Amino acid sequence: MKRILFLFAALWLTVLCGMAQTYRIYAAFVYSGDKLKINYGTEKKFRPLKNEEGNELRFYSFPGALNYLSSQGWRLEGNSTEVSGSSGGFKGNNWGATSSETTYIISKEVSEEEAKALFEQVVKEVKE
């Protein structure tokens, strides 16, 4: 019985050690109109999301964009909204105007190689 238990434990450890470790990477995106712009942290600007052929993706709705990202392995983590402008006081013929933009944070599990490649791009950006 002890041999069977030991064999089972050894087999389980072998399976655990053989599993590839995954890492979680993060990105940010904004959705405007029918377009989704994304930033992987490798550039200062948000860039349009494109498919493998390099064509810009367009979506019927925000939930459609989220469903697409989910199908690609991304998970919505949270959001932040930045408001700019003035909301108070009378100015000319109208009250103050404001605008807002919501940035969404997403994450995805990737292999160690993919995570290291992304990290190298981020470090290059910082060094330049």
Side-chain angles (χ1 to χ4, degrees):
M1 180 67 171
K2 287 183 182 180
R3 285 185 181 178
I4 293 174
L5 192 56
F6 177 76
L7 182 61
F8 180 77
L11 181 62
W12 182 253
L13 284 174
T14 303
V15 169
L16 286 177
C17 291
M19 292 174 61
Q21 186 169 358
T22 59
Y23 294 84
R24 184 162 295 282
I25 61 170
Y26 294 85
F29 77 89
V30 293
Y31 180 80
S32 177
D34 61 352
K35 298 178 185 177
L36 190 144
K37 293 185 179 181
I38 195 159
N39 185 326
Y40 298 100
T42 58
E43 299 179 15
K44 294 178 183 178
K45 296 180 180 180
F46 284 81
R47 302 282 181 195
L49 185 64
K50 297 182 179 183
N51 62 13
E52 293 80 25
E53 293 83 34
N55 299 322
E56 191 173 321
L57 296 174
R58 293 178 181 248
F59 302 93
Y60 288 112
S61 64
F62 180 71
L66 284 178
N67 287 332
Y68 174 80
L69 291 170
S70 179
S71 75
Q72 301 301 305
W74 291 98
R75 182 171 81 183
L76 183 63
E77 298 290 344
N79 67 299
S80 66
T81 302
E82 184 177 315
V83 178
S84 59
S86 172
S87 62
F90 182 74
K91 295 181 181 179
N93 293 332
N94 58 11
W95 292 92
T98 62
S99 64
S100 65
E101 182 174 77
T102 302
T103 302
Y104 299 89
I105 306 299
I106 54 178
S107 70
K108 180 179 186 178
E109 285 191 4
V110 296
S111 68
E112 183 176 2
E113 294 80 25
E114 290 174 297
K116 285 182 178 180
L118 183 66
F119 179 71
E120 288 297 320
Q121 290 178 349
V122 172
V123 171
K124 286 179 186 175
E125 170 94 12
V126 173
K127 289 180 181 178
E128 293 177 356

